[in-house]
Amino acid sequence: MTDLSPAIERKTRDSFARQSLMATFGASIGLLAPGTCTVVAPILPLARQQHGVGHAGLTFALGDTAAGYAALTLMPEESEVMTVEMKINLLAPARGDRLIAEGRVIRAGRRVSVVTTEVFAEKADGRDLVAILQGTMVPVTPRDRT
Amino acid sequence: MTDLSPAIERKTRDSFARQSLMATFGASIGLLAPGTCTVVAPILPLARQQHGVGHAGLTFALGDTAAGYAALTLMPEESEVMTVEMKINLLAPARGDRLIAEGRVIRAGRRVSVVTTEVFAEKADGRDLVAILQGTMVPVTPRDRT
Amino acid sequence: MTDLSPAIERKTRDSFARQSLMATFGASIGLLAPGTCTVVAPILPLARQQHGVGHAGLTFALGDTAAGYAALTLMPEESEVMTVEMKINLLAPARGDRLIAEGRVIRAGRRVSVVTTEVFAEKADGRDLVAILQGTMVPVTPRDRT
Amino acid sequence: MTDLSPAIERKTRDSFARQSLMATFGASIGLLAPGTCTVVAPILPLARQQHGVGHAGLTFALGDTAAGYAALTLMPEESEVMTVEMKINLLAPARGDRLIAEGRVIRAGRRVSVVTTEVFAEKADGRDLVAILQGTMVPVTPRDRT
C-alpha cells in the first residue's frame, strides 16, 4: 500500500473538519490511509438512546463517515464524496469508553465505490463489535453539486 | 385504524423523551398512531455535513427513530423496541427548514417487524423526499436486555 | 403519466427476453409504463427452498428484475441498466399460484436511480405481500461495459 | 474452531438437498464448518441476464444460501433457518467458470444471527470478487412455521 498523497490527506481532513455533526459527537479521524479511514468518538451523554447507550444514529454517523472518507482517499483529487446508500446491522449495544469505526473500500470504481465499516465499542477489558455497515459511495465534483 | 391505547402512547413518548440524541437534534414526535410515527426536527447548525446541509447521520437517526416507534405502537405493552438493521437510500441533500421522518410498519410480527420510513425536507415552497429507509425491528422485554 | 415510447418499450422487452433466468422461472412482464414494471411468474417446482415454498432467490430475482426495468423505462434510449445494490426484506413464505413483483422508481437520476419493489404471492383468495426490496440502479452504455 | 457435530452437518446437508433451486443451478456445498458454509455452482446457460453473464438472482441465491447454512451450523439442533433480510452489493459481472459463495456468521444470537457472504467468480487465471452480502437469519422451529 502506497502512502496517501498530501493533497488527498489534506482534502479529506479539511472535509471532515467541516462536518459539524462530527464536532458535536467529539469525533476525530484516527488512521487514514489509501482505502481506509478510522473515525473515533466518545459516547457522549448527548448521543444516547432510551436505555442510556449510544444511539444507532451515532453508530451510523461514525460508520458512514469512516466509509465515506475511506472512499474519498481513492477518488480523484478534485472529487468530493457522497453516500448513495448504506446498510447497518446492529450487533450489540454501543456501551463503553468510545466507538471506533473502521471504514474500508471493497471496490473503488470510477462511478461507484463499495465500502464497509466495522464499528467497535472499546472498554477497559477489550472491544466489542457493535455494528457492521455496507454501502455505496459516489465521487462528486463541484459541477455535480450545482 | 383503531386509536392508540393511552398506555402505549405514554410508553412511546416516554421512551422518545429519554433519547438524548433526539433532544440534541431538537426533534419531536408529530403524528403517533397505530403502526405509524412521525419525527420532526430542524436542521440545526450542529448536525451538518461538509457542505452545510444535514448530515446523513441526522437523516438516519430521525428515520430510524420514526420507524422504531412506529413498530413499538404495535408491540405488546411490556415490550420496548430495538433496531436489528436499517438501510437508507439518500435521494437529495437535506436542505430546508426542517426534516420530517414518516415511519410506518409494513408487517408487525411476533418476532420481527418490518418497517419503512420516508424522510422529507420541508421548504417554503413544498417538500422534497430526501431519503427512504427499510429495516427490521424486534421487541425487547426487560428480560432480553439483561 | 405519459406513455412509454415505442423505442424504450421495445428495448426493455427485448432485454427481458434475453434473460435466460426469467425464462427458466417462466416469468413474463405484466404492466410496463414509465417508472414502473411488473414481473409475474409461477412458483415452479424447480425454484423451491427446503420447505417447498418459493426460494428467496426466486423472489429476489423477480423483484430485482422488475425494479431494474422500471428504472430502464426512464433512462436515455441508448442506456441499459445494471443493479448496483439491492436489499430485500422477506415478510411471508412465497406460497401460492404465482408471484407478482411490482417495481417502481422512487427517484430517477442521471447517475443513479433509486427503486423499490413489492412482491406479492397470489392465491385463490387474495394476495399476500411476501417481500419488499429497495435498491440502486445505474444506466450503462455500451461504452461502460467494455 | 471445533468440528461440526454429525447431527448438524447431516441436518444442514439434508436441508440443502431439498432446495430444488440449488439443484436447478447445479450448486453444491463445499466447505461446511461451524459458522461458515461455501456454496459452489457453475454459471449455467439457464441462469443468465441480458448480457450473457450470471443473473444477479443467481449470485443472490447462492450468497443467501451460503449465509443461511453458515448460520444454521450454529443454531440448536432442532432449528431450521430462515432469511429475514439480505442486502447485496454487486461489484463485477458474474463471468467465469463457476461462482463460489463463502458465507460466514458475524454474530450468532439466540434470536437473530448476522451473516455476510462474499461471492467470487472463478476463472482460469484467478478469481474476482463479484458481490458481497450482509443480512439477518433467524432460527425457526417446527412450531414457528405452523
Side-chain angles (χ1 to χ4, degrees), chain C residues 88-104:
Chain C
I88 186 168
N89 281 74
L90 296 156
L91 310 178
R95 182 186 288 129
D97 297 326
R98 56 181 197 158
L99 295 178
I100 303 173
E102 300 183 353
R104 191 163 60 93

Side-chain angles (χ1 to χ4, degrees), chain D residues 21-96:
Chain D
L21 185 62
M22 291 298 106
T24 299
F25 288 152
S28 58
I29 289 182
L31 177 68
L32 184 68
T36 184
C37 176
T38 298
V39 173
V40 181
I43 304 172
L44 295 180
L46 60 74
R48 305 267 165 91
Q49 43 87 292
Q50 67 273 24
H51 303 122
V53 303
H55 197 284
L58 168 66
T59 304
F60 177 89
L62 300 176
D64 172 60
T65 301
Y69 288 130
L72 187 61
T73 63
L74 301 182
M75 289 179 179
E77 200 177 313
E78 69 277 13
S79 292
E80 300 206 44
V81 63
M82 194 171 66
T83 305
V84 166
E85 58 84 25
M86 187 62 63
K87 198 250 200 171
I88 186 168
N89 281 74
L90 296 156
L91 311 177
R95 182 186 288 129

Side-chain angles (χ1 to χ4, degrees), chain C residues 20 24 45-46 48 50-51 80, chain D residues 20 24 45-46 48 51 80:
Chain C
S20 67
T24 299
L46 60 75
R48 305 267 164 92
Q50 68 272 25
H51 302 121
E80 301 206 43
Chain D
S20 67
T24 299
L46 60 74
R48 305 267 165 91
H51 303 122
E80 300 206 44

Side-chain angles (χ1 to χ4, degrees), chain A residues 3-131:
Chain A
D3 283 349
L4 200 57
S5 85
I8 287 183
E9 173 155 9
R10 193 171 48 244
K11 174 185 72 171
T12 303
R13 291 188 181 277
D14 286 353
S15 178
F16 183 90
R18 288 199 308 275
Q19 293 205 351
S20 67
L21 185 62
M22 290 298 105
T24 298
F25 288 153
S28 58
I29 289 182
L31 176 69
L32 184 67
T36 184
C37 175
T38 297
V39 173
V40 181
I43 304 172
L44 294 180
L46 61 74
R48 305 268 164 91
Q49 43 87 294
Q50 67 273 24
H51 303 121
V53 303
H55 196 285
L58 169 66
T59 304
F60 177 89
L62 301 177
D64 172 60
T65 302
Y69 289 128
L72 187 60
T73 63
L74 301 182
M75 289 178 178
E77 200 178 313
E78 69 279 11
S79 292
E80 301 205 43
V81 64
M82 194 173 65
T83 305
V84 167
E85 58 84 25
M86 187 61 64
K87 198 252 200 168
I88 186 169
N89 282 73
L90 295 156
L91 309 178
R95 182 185 287 130
D97 298 325
R98 56 180 197 158
L99 295 178
I100 303 173
E102 301 183 353
R104 190 163 60 92
V105 176
I106 300 299
R107 179 178 174 277
R110 186 175 53 82
R111 298 202 301 169
V112 302
S113 293
V114 179
V115 289
T116 63
T117 301
E118 292 179 309
V119 184
F120 298 91
E122 198 177 54
K123 305 172 177 184
D125 61 345
R127 63 185 208 171
D128 292 337
L129 183 61
V130 299

Side-chain angles (χ1 to χ4, degrees), chain C:
Chain C
M1 189 170 68
T2 58
D3 282 350
L4 201 56
S5 84
I8 287 183
E9 173 155 8
R10 192 170 49 243
K11 175 185 72 171
T12 304
R13 292 187 181 278
D14 285 354
S15 178
F16 183 90
R18 288 198 307 275
Q19 293 205 351
S20 67
L21 185 61
M22 291 298 106
T24 299
F25 287 153
S28 58
I29 290 182
L31 177 69
L32 184 67
T36 184
C37 175
T38 297
V39 173
V40 181
I43 304 172
L44 294 180
L46 60 75
R48 305 267 164 92
Q49 43 87 294
Q50 68 272 25
H51 302 121
V53 302
H55 197 285
L58 169 65
T59 304
F60 177 89
L62 301 177
D64 172 60
T65 302
Y69 289 129
L72 187 59
T73 62
L74 300 183
M75 290 178 178
E77 199 176 315
E78 69 279 12
S79 291
E80 301 206 43
V81 63
M82 194 172 65
T83 304
V84 167
E85 57 84 25
M86 187 61 63
K87 197 250 202 171
I88 186 168
N89 281 74
L90 296 156
L91 310 178
R95 182 186 288 129
D97 297 326
R98 56 181 197 158
L99 295 178
I100 303 173
E102 300 183 353
R104 191 163 60 93
V105 177
I106 301 297
R107 182 180 172 277
R110 185 175 54 83
R111 298 201 302 168
V112 302
S113 294
V114 179
V115 289
T116 63
T117 301
E118 292 180 309
V119 184
F120 299 91
E122 198 177 55
K123 304 172 178 183
D125 61 344
R127 63 186 209 171
D128 291 338
L129 183 62
V130 298
I132 55 175
L133 296 87
Q134 180 177 309
T136 305
M137 299 285 163
V138 290
V140 185
T141 60
R143 188 172 49 86
D144 291 317
R145 288 190 295 113
T146 57

